[in-house]
Amino acid sequence: MVDAHRLRIFLSVMASGSVNAAAGHLGISPSAVSQQVSALQKETGLTLFTRHGRGIEPTPAAHTLAAESEQLMAELKRVDAVVDDLREGGTGELSIGYFASAGYRWMPQLAKRLQAKLPELTLQMVLTEGYPPGQAPPVDIDVVPDDPTTSIRPGYHVTPLMTDHFVALVPADHRLAGRRRVEMAELADEAWISNDISAGITQEMVDRACRAAGFRPRYTVEAQDHYTATAFVAAGVGITVLPDLASRTIPKTVRRLRLTNPNPVRDIVALTAPVARSNEAAKLAVDLLQQIAAASARRR
């Protein structure tokens, strides 16, 4: 197993550009830095640096190891904070991940309620949307759409929060604007605007529902976020289909229609990391999230 202390020193050398600079940043001697890097090379069987003039140059193996180690170091730092909290009997820090519409709708309420109950809590909110699977920053609680690529994580506790129905947004002067509901097939000939970052699970759900209705949507604009997509709809460029949670605030020039036959839905869950299972602040945050989500569902 790779020694975490040596890995930290190695990463400091990579970031600092030299042994002497890393030693200065870490507050140890250059010889101690060199010894730890040499020990890491022996431990891994890798050549991490080569001589280059009067300095050193990272090898391709070093760049790969550094890239793969950053998330591990962040996770170890978080574990250290948990250990400190447990030792002191407190709940000092909590990190919560979110996707855009949950961040806008739920996170401010959650932060306010947590601070009211735990005024000493240091709260970190992290946008975890848009990363490739497994590469999002590590957090204690991650609020995500339920999807095998993001929500199945070994050891994590899954708490259901809300089922979010999809809706269609159309310009106020659109032929369907006076309706309350629309069947998916009625949108087949429209100009569509995508609204999901990196063609993620939300767009896949929409495309799957369109295929079930017998057509493929013709995307004329790739907006990649629901705020921009809504603005395109308001300008009369086309229509978009997105989760209801993302459509709660729309311009007066846009109409929201309920979808039928089919109506895609996404389940939103909170994932609690194993390291946070005993954190009282995490337990409180999940309870509050359930309350906030339930209130949001009632307002639909």
mmCIF file of all heavy atoms in Angstrom, residues 1-4 6-7 36-46:
data_model
loop_
_atom_site.group_PDB
_atom_site.id
_atom_site.type_symbol
_atom_site.label_atom_id
_atom_site.label_comp_id
_atom_site.label_asym_id
_atom_site.label_seq_id
_atom_site.Cartn_x
_atom_site.Cartn_y
_atom_site.Cartn_z
ATOM 1 N N MET A 1 0.841 -1.192 0.000
ATOM 2 C CA MET A 1 0.000 0.000 0.000
ATOM 3 C C MET A 1 0.882 1.250 0.000
ATOM 4 O O MET A 1 1.872 1.313 0.732
ATOM 5 C CB MET A 1 -0.926 0.001 1.219
ATOM 6 C CG MET A 1 -1.911 1.165 1.240
ATOM 7 S SD MET A 1 -3.052 1.075 2.640
ATOM 8 C CE MET A 1 -3.969 -0.396 2.195
ATOM 9 N N VAL A 2 0.543 2.222 -0.825
ATOM 10 C CA VAL A 2 1.330 3.444 -0.925
ATOM 11 C C VAL A 2 1.211 4.250 0.355
ATOM 12 O O VAL A 2 0.115 4.434 0.893
ATOM 13 C CB VAL A 2 0.854 4.287 -2.131
ATOM 14 C CG1 VAL A 2 1.601 5.595 -2.196
ATOM 15 C CG2 VAL A 2 1.048 3.504 -3.420
ATOM 16 N N ASP A 3 2.332 4.739 0.861
ATOM 17 C CA ASP A 3 2.368 5.537 2.081
ATOM 18 C C ASP A 3 1.786 6.924 1.797
ATOM 19 O O ASP A 3 2.265 7.653 0.913
ATOM 20 C CB ASP A 3 3.808 5.644 2.576
ATOM 21 C CG ASP A 3 3.899 6.386 3.890
ATOM 22 O OD1 ASP A 3 3.917 7.634 3.866
ATOM 23 O OD2 ASP A 3 3.941 5.721 4.943
ATOM 24 N N ALA A 4 0.751 7.313 2.553
ATOM 25 C CA ALA A 4 0.053 8.577 2.306
ATOM 26 C C ALA A 4 0.955 9.787 2.569
ATOM 27 O O ALA A 4 0.873 10.795 1.864
ATOM 28 C CB ALA A 4 -1.204 8.659 3.168
ATOM 29 N N ARG A 6 4.247 9.983 2.191
ATOM 30 C CA ARG A 6 5.148 10.136 1.044
ATOM 31 C C ARG A 6 4.401 10.685 -0.165
ATOM 32 O O ARG A 6 4.938 11.482 -0.948
ATOM 33 C CB ARG A 6 5.782 8.793 0.709
ATOM 34 C CG ARG A 6 6.752 8.299 1.770
ATOM 35 C CD ARG A 6 7.153 6.861 1.527
ATOM 36 N NE ARG A 6 7.996 6.362 2.613
ATOM 37 C CZ ARG A 6 8.230 5.082 2.859
ATOM 38 N NH1 ARG A 6 7.656 4.148 2.098
ATOM 39 N NH2 ARG A 6 9.021 4.720 3.849
ATOM 40 N N LEU A 7 3.161 10.267 -0.320
ATOM 41 C CA LEU A 7 2.361 10.745 -1.439
ATOM 42 C C LEU A 7 2.103 12.246 -1.330
ATOM 43 O O LEU A 7 2.167 12.977 -2.328
ATOM 44 C CB LEU A 7 1.037 9.978 -1.482
ATOM 45 C CG LEU A 7 0.282 9.920 -2.808
ATOM 46 C CD1 LEU A 7 1.169 9.376 -3.918
ATOM 47 C CD2 LEU A 7 -0.967 9.070 -2.657
ATOM 48 N N GLN A 36 12.009 10.997 1.092
ATOM 49 C CA GLN A 36 10.632 10.492 0.988
ATOM 50 C C GLN A 36 10.260 10.192 -0.468
ATOM 51 O O GLN A 36 9.568 9.211 -0.748
ATOM 52 C CB GLN A 36 9.660 11.498 1.600
ATOM 53 C CG GLN A 36 9.779 11.659 3.098
ATOM 54 C CD GLN A 36 9.514 10.363 3.837
ATOM 55 O OE1 GLN A 36 8.634 9.590 3.471
ATOM 56 N NE2 GLN A 36 10.297 10.112 4.882
ATOM 57 N N VAL A 37 10.715 11.042 -1.398
ATOM 58 C CA VAL A 37 10.439 10.791 -2.812
ATOM 59 C C VAL A 37 11.160 9.531 -3.275
ATOM 60 O O VAL A 37 10.592 8.696 -4.000
ATOM 61 C CB VAL A 37 10.842 12.002 -3.675
ATOM 62 C CG1 VAL A 37 10.757 11.654 -5.166
ATOM 63 C CG2 VAL A 37 9.928 13.191 -3.376
ATOM 64 N N SER A 38 12.415 9.356 -2.838
ATOM 65 C CA SER A 38 13.165 8.149 -3.196
ATOM 66 C C SER A 38 12.481 6.910 -2.637
ATOM 67 O O SER A 38 12.381 5.875 -3.318
ATOM 68 C CB SER A 38 14.596 8.247 -2.667
ATOM 69 O OG SER A 38 15.295 9.305 -3.297
ATOM 70 N N ALA A 39 11.982 7.015 -1.395
ATOM 71 C CA ALA A 39 11.291 5.880 -0.785
ATOM 72 C C ALA A 39 10.003 5.554 -1.534
ATOM 73 O O ALA A 39 9.647 4.378 -1.710
ATOM 74 C CB ALA A 39 10.988 6.185 0.682
ATOM 75 N N LEU A 40 9.317 6.596 -2.016
ATOM 76 C CA LEU A 40 8.087 6.365 -2.779
ATOM 77 C C LEU A 40 8.403 5.674 -4.109
ATOM 78 O O LEU A 40 7.660 4.788 -4.554
ATOM 79 C CB LEU A 40 7.366 7.695 -3.026
ATOM 80 C CG LEU A 40 6.044 7.614 -3.802
ATOM 81 C CD1 LEU A 40 5.017 6.787 -3.037
ATOM 82 C CD2 LEU A 40 5.507 9.018 -4.079
ATOM 83 N N GLN A 41 9.506 6.065 -4.733
ATOM 84 C CA GLN A 41 9.892 5.418 -5.985
ATOM 85 C C GLN A 41 10.199 3.936 -5.773
ATOM 86 O O GLN A 41 9.799 3.085 -6.570
ATOM 87 C CB GLN A 41 11.092 6.134 -6.600
ATOM 88 C CG GLN A 41 10.756 7.535 -7.102
ATOM 89 C CD GLN A 41 11.896 8.181 -7.859
ATOM 90 O OE1 GLN A 41 11.744 8.592 -9.014
ATOM 91 N NE2 GLN A 41 13.061 8.285 -7.230
ATOM 92 N N LYS A 42 10.891 3.623 -4.676
ATOM 93 C CA LYS A 42 11.187 2.217 -4.370
ATOM 94 C C LYS A 42 9.906 1.458 -4.036
ATOM 95 O O LYS A 42 9.726 0.312 -4.446
ATOM 96 C CB LYS A 42 12.167 2.139 -3.205
ATOM 97 C CG LYS A 42 13.563 2.636 -3.526
ATOM 98 C CD LYS A 42 14.469 2.561 -2.297
ATOM 99 C CE LYS A 42 15.868 3.093 -2.616
ATOM 100 N NZ LYS A 42 16.748 3.068 -1.415
ATOM 101 N N GLU A 43 9.022 2.132 -3.310
ATOM 102 C CA GLU A 43 7.768 1.504 -2.882
ATOM 103 C C GLU A 43 6.888 1.158 -4.074
ATOM 104 O O GLU A 43 6.234 0.110 -4.104
ATOM 105 C CB GLU A 43 7.043 2.467 -1.947
ATOM 106 C CG GLU A 43 5.772 1.956 -1.320
ATOM 107 C CD GLU A 43 5.175 2.996 -0.379
ATOM 108 O OE1 GLU A 43 5.034 4.169 -0.787
ATOM 109 O OE2 GLU A 43 4.860 2.636 0.763
ATOM 110 N N THR A 44 6.864 2.031 -5.071
ATOM 111 C CA THR A 44 5.992 1.839 -6.230
ATOM 112 C C THR A 44 6.691 1.150 -7.398
ATOM 113 O O THR A 44 6.020 0.649 -8.311
ATOM 114 C CB THR A 44 5.454 3.193 -6.721
ATOM 115 O OG1 THR A 44 6.566 4.038 -7.085
ATOM 116 C CG2 THR A 44 4.622 3.867 -5.648
ATOM 117 N N GLY A 45 8.018 1.160 -7.397
ATOM 118 C CA GLY A 45 8.752 0.620 -8.530
ATOM 119 C C GLY A 45 8.700 1.525 -9.743
ATOM 120 O O GLY A 45 8.932 1.074 -10.869
ATOM 121 N N LEU A 46 8.409 2.816 -9.529
ATOM 122 C CA LEU A 46 8.276 3.774 -10.618
ATOM 123 C C LEU A 46 9.406 4.799 -10.581
ATOM 124 O O LEU A 46 9.868 5.185 -9.510
ATOM 125 C CB LEU A 46 6.940 4.513 -10.527
ATOM 126 C CG LEU A 46 5.667 3.683 -10.600
ATOM 127 C CD1 LEU A 46 4.460 4.556 -10.298
ATOM 128 C CD2 LEU A 46 5.521 3.040 -11.981
#
